[in-house]
Amino acid sequence: MTEMSSRLSGPASHTVTARSVWPKPINTLINALINFLTRPRRLAPLLACAWMILIAGFAFAPHWFTAYDPLEGDVLASLAAPDAEHFLGTDKLGRDVFARIVYGARFSLGVGLGAVAISVAFGVLLGLIAGQRQRVLDEGFSRLFDVVSAYPGVLLAMLLITFLGGSLVNVAIAVGIAGIPKFGRVVRAQTKAVQDADYVVQASIYGRSRFSAFLVHVVPNVLTVVPVVATISVGTAILTTSGLSFLGLGPQPPTPEWGLMLAESRDYLRTAWWTGVLPGIAITLTVIAFAVLGGSLQRHIEGRAP
Amino acid sequence: MSNARRPAPLVDIAGLTISFPNDRGVQHAVARNVSFTISPGECVAIVGESGSGKSVTARALLNLVGGNARIEAERFLINGADARAFNASQWRRVRGGFAGLVMQDALTSLDPLRTIGKEVAEAAQIHGLARGAAALHTLATATLARVGVPDPEERARQYAQQLSGGLRQRALIAAAIAGQPRLIIADEPTTALDASVQAQVLSVLRQRRDEGAGLLLISHDLAVVAGIADRAMVMRDGVVLDSGPTQEVLNAPRHPWTRRLIAASPSASTHGYRLTRPVTAGGANLDAREPLPPRAAPDLARPVLEAHNLRKHYRTTAGGVFTALDGVSFTVNAGEVLGLVGESGSGKSTCAKIALGLLEPDDGEIHLLGAHWTGMKERARKHLRRKMQYIPQDPLSSFDPRHTVTDIIGENLRAFSGMSRRERVMDLLALVGLDVHYASRRPGQLSGGQRQRIAIARALAADPAIIICDEPVSALDVSIQAQVIDLLADLQAQTGVALLFITHDLGLVQHAADRVIILKDGRVVEQGDARAIFRNPSHSYTAELVAALPRLGFGLITSS
Amino acid sequence: MYARSNSTDRSGHHKLSEQLTARRLMLLAGIAGAGMSLLAAQPAAANETPRSGGTLTFGVTTEPVCFDPHRSVQQNSYIIIRNYVDSLVAKNADGRFLPWLAKSFQKSADGKTYDFILRDDVVFHDGEKFDAAAVKTNFDHARDAKNAVPAGELLQSIEQIEAVAPHHLRLHLQQPDTALLESIASVRLGLLSPKALQAGAQLCGGGPALAGTGPFRFAGYTRGQSVALERNAAYNWGPGYAKHNGPAYLEKATIRFLPEYSVRAGALSSGQIDVIEGVQPTDVGQFKDQPGFQFLTGPSGAQTAFTLNINNTIEPATDVRVRQALRDGADIEALVKSVYRGTVRRAWSNIGPDNPLYNKALEGSWGLNVAKANQLLDEAGWTGRDAQGYRTKDGKRLGIEVGYPQPFVRDSRDVLIQGVQAQLRKNLGFDLKLRIITGGEWGQQLREGTWTIYPNTYLPADPVRELEGNIGRTGFIRAVSDKGDKELFGHIESALRATTADDKLKHVHAAQKRAVDQAVIVPLFAASYQLAARDKVRGLSFEAQLDSPSNLYDVWVAP
Amino acid sequence: MTSTRAMITKRIAPRLLTGLLVAWGAVTAAFIGMHALPGRVEDILAGDMSWPGLREAIAQEWGLDQSVWSQYVGFIWRIAQGDFGTSYVMRQPVADVIGPQIWPTVHLALSAGILAVVLAVLAATLTAGRGRIARAAASLIELACVSAPVFWIGLLLLLAFSFTLRWFPVSGADGWRALVLPAVTLALPTAGLLAQVLREAMEKALVQPFVVTTRARGIGETLLRLRHVLRHAALPAVTLGGWLVGGLLGGAVITEKVFGRPGLGTVTLNAVLSQDAPVVLAVVMLAALIHVLASTALDVAYVFIDPRLKVQ
């Protein structure tokens, strides 16, 4: 029954046909091609991986990709349109836009990963504690998550940054703190669910103490939900950073961070589009790539543990 | 039901083939060359296990097979019209108006967010049989009344989850017949229902048939089919193996698979014999059954598990008190198989949980191998834990999804280390009839029967004195169920382990158990020899149970 | 045009006749208009007849925090405030002071008494009578420390205010104050109805309650969006430099807050608003000499040049060689030209080039000299180099932080600093760090004297006040002024106490030279306002006392 | 329903009670934060002013000469009485500063929210479980909406529809035309996310057995999706609701700045930048209040969508 159920459902838009229109081999070939090109589950993760590898390359060995210094430019040749010398043009200080994108990967990924690392570390810890059957702890931490998420994310990050001061590290910390409740809640819910699962409830039959069952069964199965949320959150963190840069609360110049580049370029939107469009595309693609990878990670994990 | 008048068939199908493209786009047939007709007032049954193609075939009548299915047929007449040329709106007129569909599990087959009344009236509304809220409500209550739902006014305002299983299933039937269809397609309509409820639901369907509706019944249960169907088809892997009048198919099965299927049904008469590997070509014969290996007689002087006067109450959310167990006592002796029988809500599972020490009783106590078991600290129980093991109904949820088979079985082999533990796992896998390469699989990659074998291997790994089996085969297909039951019997004979065998299946308990305890509403109503007790029930409840049991009722297999 | 003469002094002695005729006013206005036209390419044809009526939408960069002239310290707020408040005297483009709400004014010989004869036909927007008592109420309210009114600092030299007659006001000073008329002319001491003043700090919120005597009344304020102005029909008391008499031409005006450069420019170029202020240098080409548009650049005299003020009491800026290297290590000329596309001038002193007391001799006296700067740093012992190529001494990197308070960041000024930063890094291995800080942090640094480099422009219009407020003993360095440059302080204090114009000029020039030579300041560019407008808008000009766009009194829209 | 009153006592009342707790926590955290910021309040209030006695006068006027603890107690006490104090920077009662800003922001967020829901429902209903190409295209567009910075979307929309095509005014709060671009800007990321969640939920609902039963009644595909499937899909979407409310408010800060619209965003940004503690604290209070109200409302909505919760 279970094998069939996924096929049996779905819309009833098909028709009853006496025979297929196409000769069989061609039909098969066309089907296979359409299959590959239109099935986002296959093509999209592939493209996302390719993009991530490129970005990782930018981050780890930027000098392989560009000969220009991201901080140094000929101010007298500022806002030059793309040409043979600077193939993505130069910015307001004559710095090579492509070089800044390449070097910026390290900072943007750094902010995203750093923020998520903070969210994960605290969110998982607090979520695991809140997910225990201790009502007081649960209520306490759940309300703490409520308090933190009572602020809209941007507002909380704004407040934290005025408190900490705008810098790359502080932006990561602020965005990270704002993300704690998200992980805390997910982990708490998952902890509760796993703790009610038969293989945890029945663990004592096999001589496991509650603590041992917690370590062996609960923690690893709770953590399976983390990579998915974390992956998607890296993209969100990069986005929030660019929003903060727009508000003047992000990383400080001359950091070639993409969000900052995008925010700085907005004054030249009409006259020097290349300074903004490309960092914008870099951000958007990276966020999309993280979302796609998160999605396929989720399908992978769900597929393994139904 | 008379064969004399033969009106035009409602459905006339020949050479029906249904296929789906696989991942590589290659078509894969799930039903091949299926032909049948259904006439008014006739019940046609399709019998088969999971994946046999029986449901797909039934749904093809409504063109509800699935998005990319390809349906081909030589003849596909619905109410005399060629359905191969139907467009979407013609199909919609067939659905609900000409044919109604009843599925398994009304809890999920009725929209849980809508009231019963709205669900029942929907088909009538779509097909324009009634207009306006008042008219639809009247129609819904009338239809509910027709399928024997008491107090239909009240029920119509409730949601599916507020109704009992039997009422819910009747409401589902009401929703299917509200559009006054001439054909009812019932896909496993009684699966997972208690025997008494099953009997009620079948009688409702029978009544519709007797009123002149055509009935296509899909079931895995031969006994159900035997009691209602005029004609039956046996399907396997998309192919019809046997078909004809029901009596003929069941009494004189032409195909070996049919015979295997019939033989796999446990009953009192199969006690002591294998359910699998039945007769060869010659014909189905009781004598051809292979006996189970001999086993030591239960040692009545050596109780393994003793339960005294167990009581358990739950507080309901409404503020009331629900009594799950009310003074239950029983003893399982060494090497004995004790059956614990009852319908849902009778307290069987609570018994199992208390015995396993997962739940503390409000009152009463349990001794395991003579030692105090209830009311003890887990630390104090730990040394006895290995002596009592568990085979759950749903092994999948009792396996850590991240663990491999080796990890799962190794859970009970933590005294062993490294290589010796691995060897033990291999031995146990061999013992339950699984290949060594299953050792590295994860639960999600196993079939239902394989999971149950792993659960058995895990239980045996501890070398227990007793295993509590909680509905161990109720989720399995008949043929798989037979294999698992035989395996359990083999291993029980081999190890002499005692079994507390919890089930709702009267046939199975008579096949497997030495003694039986019958639970109703948390009380023991009767206990005694597993077969004698059902032959001569002394309690009226036992008699009711026996009466509600559908049986194959033909010469081949007798249940009494 | 901007003659090097002490205009303050001269106008002080100048007694304007009470019978000043309208024609005379028109003549003066003509002079003012001509003065502007050098800088501004106003297309207005002289023979056009101004048209009364119509509305105008003006897109500005900054939403004022406070609309009360006495309390606001934001230069960009005065563009709006000037529309509803008038002053006693008006400062002309040539530096002279002209009558406004005072028909005439006179300074006593000892410079300690000022007499103002007020117009008797002036009425506040709320119907209150304008008279000497009202002015006294205004000034006393500002002077009272309890009220914590920032404009009070302009009146610190006043000992007593006396309403001699209903329309005769006399100010008694503790000591001569060469900047007094400048202060009186400032919008910050614009006159409000005494009834309105009772609202106290609440006036910051604007609205009709904020009643002045200006050509427009404050009709309404939508926070985050706009200010609505309505013509004051009774108005007949324009400043001496105004081009016409009677009420303003425009019936209504809307000041719209559009903080984004591209949005402002887009709104103007798509015809949705009429005038914008603050034009991104790269957008100038869209409006300058383009059909349908006009582009105007304002003077740079009232405010200081955009300058890096260096705290010379904190390492490593205590070493004059380090400061001089910082000053001469970057090609400021090229940077300014590149960042501002030729719309502003490079600065040589922190006093604006259009200010009469600007020290022109400083031009070319300092600036890019990479070899010399490197030599100075070598001499100062910054000879090591770290992995990033920065100079080090005793393992410490050569670096100074520019703490730029976030509320003041605008106008590509951070970009310019980044340009200097990049050049110092490349040319000298000097790490000029830029950090955007909060207003509160700046306040704390100011109080503790821990700031390192503070970039700013400053607007008291009087150059001595500018010098004192920025680099004087009570300037930014006040918390640690005992370690400051005594010679510089001396020049500034002498200028403050000067009784003759020549004496004041001498000391102001000397102070500018000292500050640049000692490199406690690095002037970057002469800040000026830019306006872009549709070509139908006539009569746009700039106010000499503020450098910023004048109020909309003379503005009209051609059909 | 007899359970309506039970619902109020069982669900709404405790929510509001804990909501009060949350609001108190949020405000206290903000109070501590604002007081720990570099720069004393006197510095902020004094600005560039400096003369003898000024700081003392300011401190006394604003009650800054008391201990932090008594300032805190006074602050909470005044808030309990509905007095949010006076803005340091704008010198006006905070209620007067913030009050008129609430409606523009709510108006914008509400319009954007409704637009986002409509767009998401349309996208999800039209594409869930349908052809792969349509789904892939819709997914890509949604992902792009979710993944692009809000201010960037806003500026690009302005460039295209206001500056070039001149369909909509650049800014202002007058009339619906001025609302279109900001609302779209704010709605797109929300709609993108919501559409994805809705589609996934709809696809999950579409494989439920009740869908087969319902189809077997002869229902049309559109009616099936709108009457049955959408309601099931709404459950996870409602769970997301609290987050969306926060996202809309946060996005409003940026959108208001891009389009020069009045609203809480501008006020908040300015207050944060100028460390105008009373305004910041009031905004935090307001945000917490909105959060509490929104989550309570969603809780109730949940029960109305899913009668199973009411029955239990």
Side-chain angles (χ1 to χ4, degrees), chain C residues 330-458:
Chain C
D331 189 351
I332 293 169
E333 180 97 39
L335 282 169
V336 168
K337 191 174 262 173
S338 170
V339 172
Y340 293 99
R341 308 262 147 168
T343 56
V344 298
R345 288 164 283 171
R346 177 250 172 104
W348 294 99
S349 165
N350 61 344
I351 302 298
D354 297 330
N355 193 299
L357 269 60
Y358 170 65
N359 186 349
K360 201 169 167 54
L362 289 172
E363 291 181 12
S365 70
W366 59 278
L368 182 69
N369 190 340
V370 176
K372 180 80 192 305
N374 271 312
Q375 188 195 330
L376 284 168
L377 290 176
D378 287 341
E379 285 169 16
W382 294 94
T383 46
R385 291 276 179 169
D386 67 10
Q388 275 96 28
Y390 290 110
R391 284 176 179 269
T392 58
K393 183 162 101 178
D394 307 329
K396 260 190 71 183
R397 177 187 282 187
L398 174 60
I400 306 182
E401 181 179 280
V402 178
Y404 201 168
Q406 212 281 339
F408 307 145
V409 177
R410 64 195 158 107
D411 199 15
S412 301
R413 291 173 183 192
D414 50 332
V415 178
L416 182 65
I417 296 174
Q418 284 182 60
V420 175
Q421 178 182 56
Q423 290 219 340
L424 289 179
R425 185 171 97 99
K426 197 168 94 185
N427 294 345
L428 308 181
F430 192 118
D431 184 14
L432 188 77
K433 288 185 284 269
L434 172 63
R435 194 162 68 87
I436 308 297
I437 59 177
T438 63
E441 187 173 356
W442 162 239
Q444 185 181 23
Q445 290 181 352
L446 189 63
R447 176 163 49 78
E448 293 168 357
T450 53
W451 58 278
T452 46
I453 292 181
Y454 175 54
N456 82 324
T457 57
Y458 187 55

Side-chain angles (χ1 to χ4, degrees), chain B residues 210-240:
Chain B
D210 294 347
E211 284 174 20
L215 180 62
L216 177 63
L217 177 72
I218 313 298
S219 181
H220 70 284
D221 190 337
L222 291 171
V224 165
V225 170
I228 185 169
D230 302 308
R231 286 186 297 125
M233 299 191 289
V234 178
M235 281 186 81
R236 189 190 186 200
D237 293 339
V239 178
V240 177

Side-chain angles (χ1 to χ4, degrees), chain A residues 52-96:
Chain A
M52 295 308 303
I53 289 169
L54 184 68
I55 295 300
F58 284 0
F60 283 106
H63 49 278
W64 288 357
F65 296 89
T66 176
Y68 287 100
D69 186 312
L71 300 181
E72 230 157 72
D74 179 4
V75 186
L76 309 178
S78 63
L79 298 174
D83 58 16
E85 202 180 332
H86 299 281
F87 80 98
L88 295 184
T90 64
D91 73 356
K92 59 189 180 182
L93 289 171
R95 298 171 298 203
D96 185 76

Side-chain angles (χ1 to χ4, degrees), chain D residues 119-143:
Chain D
L119 287 177
V121 166
L122 270 179
T125 315
L126 289 177
T127 58
R130 307 258 187 184
R132 286 188 214 139
I133 297 170
R135 277 174 59 203
S139 286
L140 197 70
I141 294 170
E142 287 154 17
L143 260 180

